Amino acid sequence: MAVDRFGIAFVHQPPEPRQGTYVRLAEDRGFESAWALETRLMRDGVTPLTAWAARTNRICLGTAMINPFTRTPTLMAQTFATLDEISNERSILGIGAANQMLVEDFHGEQFERPLTRTKETIEAFRQFLTGDRVDYDGETVSINGASLDFQPPRPNIPVYMGVTGPRMLRLAGAIADGVVLNAFVSEGYIKNAISLIEDGANEAGRDPPDVGMVPVFSIDADGHSAKETVKPLLAEYVCNLPGLEDARRKVGDPLFEREDVRSEIMEPVRETTETESIEVAAEHVPDDFVTELAAAGTPTECVERLDTYFDLGLDFLVPSLMGEHYGYGIETIADHFDLDDAT
């Protein structure tokens, strides 16, 4: 019988050191991984992992996701080999291409050829972990005679790719150790994404990697209140990021192709944000739309949604906690899925 596997992450809050306290609780309750989100300009995705490593013993520690434009493969190798030393070989490189706004507007770098840049960064990163000299002459990455000045603890730190569009999904199937699907995607999208990942693996002549996702998770005895917590982020994420919408459309996301969703939710949200805050725009997001795209509501609603994600064929889930009830959420998941018995 397959064991349901879980990681844990946090959407913006709580601040450290409270996050570390909840990561320790997650480890004690049987979660297998903890992920630091590097979303927009919130906390960076690496520093929290070093703090969590000092407070835990078993749980794996990953970034979700750092990008190949603002960090070089050389720096990534230095960083994750060091984190592997600190954590006793528990690090995971979570990498994704990010988006044009983040890379160009926020960092002043050129967002060019993201597929090739991601692929070449992963290849060069893996070469560094052998401890040997790296000479890499790619189309977007060039390294001339560099090697780490210390021996990496292991030559095979897992690389998990955070991907959304069809070409990236196929690439992840071909080269990644694991794949993490984006938040706020529908059941139809998940099925199509898994198929594309399998296609990429088959073309590369390998077994498909494990596939998971980071569903936003908001739990409260008052289910409506839990959904209200999610609505501003959902409104911004699915209605105001055209790059993500285009990627979902290319993969096939039936929910977002519905005329009522476009005319009654997405268009009003976009129009409202032209003159009002995202919180005001989120008033156009109904509860049932949140239910379609997140694990949000009462404890029963939340775990039923997680059950549904596993039924779609996902191998693991990384609930990304929002709201105030972080410990309650961790305990609810652990109890429902018997995580203590799985460790």
Side-chain angles (χ1 to χ4, degrees), residues 64-81:
M65 299 287 167
I66 62 174
N67 73 76
F69 295 96
T70 58
R71 288 183 178 87
T72 67
T74 309
L75 178 58
M76 289 184 189
Q78 289 177 277
T79 300
F80 283 85

Side-chain angles (χ1 to χ4, degrees), residues 220-268:
D220 197 297
D222 180 347
H224 174 69
S225 177
K227 295 177 180 68
E228 287 292 307
T229 298
V230 175
K231 288 180 181 180
L233 181 63
L234 175 56
E236 181 172 14
Y237 209 88
V238 305
C239 300
N240 283 334
L241 294 176
L244 283 176
E245 181 184 358
D246 183 59
R248 287 195 307 264
R249 179 182 55 78
K250 290 178 179 177
V251 172
D253 197 332
L255 178 65
F256 289 91
E257 295 171 3
R258 282 171 30 191
E259 177 58 32
D260 62 319
V261 169
R262 303 190 69 84
S263 63
E264 298 175 18
I265 302 174
M266 298 181 71
E267 291 175 7

Side-chain angles (χ1 to χ4, degrees), residues 54-300:
R55 302 185 66 177
T56 58
N57 299 298
R58 174 190 56 80
I59 200 166
C60 294
L61 304 168
T63 49
M65 299 287 167
I66 62 174
N67 73 76
F69 295 96
T70 58
R71 288 183 178 87
T72 67
T74 309
L75 178 58
M76 289 184 189
Q78 289 177 277
T79 300
F80 283 85
T82 303
L83 181 59
D84 236 28
E85 283 189 333
I86 294 170
S87 66
N88 193 24
E89 301 184 9
R90 291 185 282 143
S91 72
I92 300 171
L93 169 61
I95 182 171
N99 56 67
Q100 185 172 5
M101 179 180 69
L102 176 70
V103 174
E104 295 193 352
D105 295 347
F106 294 178
H107 287 279
E109 301 293 334
Q110 294 299 307
F111 187 70
E112 296 177 345
R113 305 185 67 185
L115 186 84
T116 302
R117 183 68 170 258
T118 302
K119 178 178 181 290
E120 292 184 350
T121 295
I122 292 171
E123 290 175 346
F125 170 80
R126 285 171 165 162
Q127 288 185 25
F128 271 110
L129 296 181
T130 66
D132 297 333
R133 170 188 167 116
V134 177
D135 289 286
Y136 191 96
D137 185 19
E139 297 175 26
T140 64
V141 171
S142 179
I143 299 167
N144 299 311
S147 61
L148 297 181
D149 292 331
F150 66 105
Q151 184 62 39
R154 54 179 171 159
N156 56 350
I157 291 173
V159 176
Y160 279 53
M161 289 178 63
V163 291
T164 305
R167 296 176 66 207
M168 279 291 189
L169 288 162
R170 287 193 179 92
L171 176 64
I175 69 171
D177 298 305
V179 184
V180 183
L181 302 182
N182 226 320
F184 297 135
V185 291
S186 71
E187 295 178 20
Y189 171 92
I190 293 169
K191 293 177 182 177
N192 292 337
I194 291 173
S195 179
L196 288 167
I197 292 166
E198 291 174 346
D199 288 345
N202 290 335
E203 291 166 5
R206 67 192 293 254
D207 292 333
D210 286 347
V211 182
M213 70 174 292
V214 283
V216 170
F217 184 95
S218 175
I219 190 169
D220 197 297
D222 180 347
H224 174 69
S225 177
K227 295 177 180 68
E228 287 292 307
T229 298
V230 175
K231 288 180 181 180
L233 181 63
L234 175 56
E236 181 172 14
Y237 209 88
V238 305
C239 300
N240 283 334
L241 294 176
L244 283 176
E245 181 184 358
D246 183 59
R248 287 195 307 264
R249 179 182 55 78
K250 290 178 179 177
V251 172
D253 197 332
L255 178 65
F256 289 91
E257 295 171 3
R258 282 171 30 191
E259 177 58 32
D260 62 319
V261 169
R262 303 190 69 84
S263 63
E264 298 175 18
I265 302 174
M266 298 181 71
E267 291 175 7
V269 166
R270 286 174 178 154
E271 291 171 1
T272 303
T273 55
E274 293 177 1
T275 57
E276 303 285 351
S277 69
I278 195 67
E279 287 76 18
V280 174
E283 295 174 5
H284 295 287
V285 177
D287 281 8
D288 60 355
F289 192 59
V290 178
T291 300
E292 292 267 14
L293 295 170
T298 65
T300 298

Side-chain angles (χ1 to χ4, degrees), residues 21-31 55 57-59 334 339-340 343:
T21 300
Y22 293 122
V23 170
R24 179 61 183 269
L25 173 63
E27 178 178 73
D28 290 343
R29 291 306 314 270
F31 286 69
R55 302 185 66 177
N57 299 298
R58 174 190 56 80
I59 200 166
L339 298 188
D340 299 287
T343 56

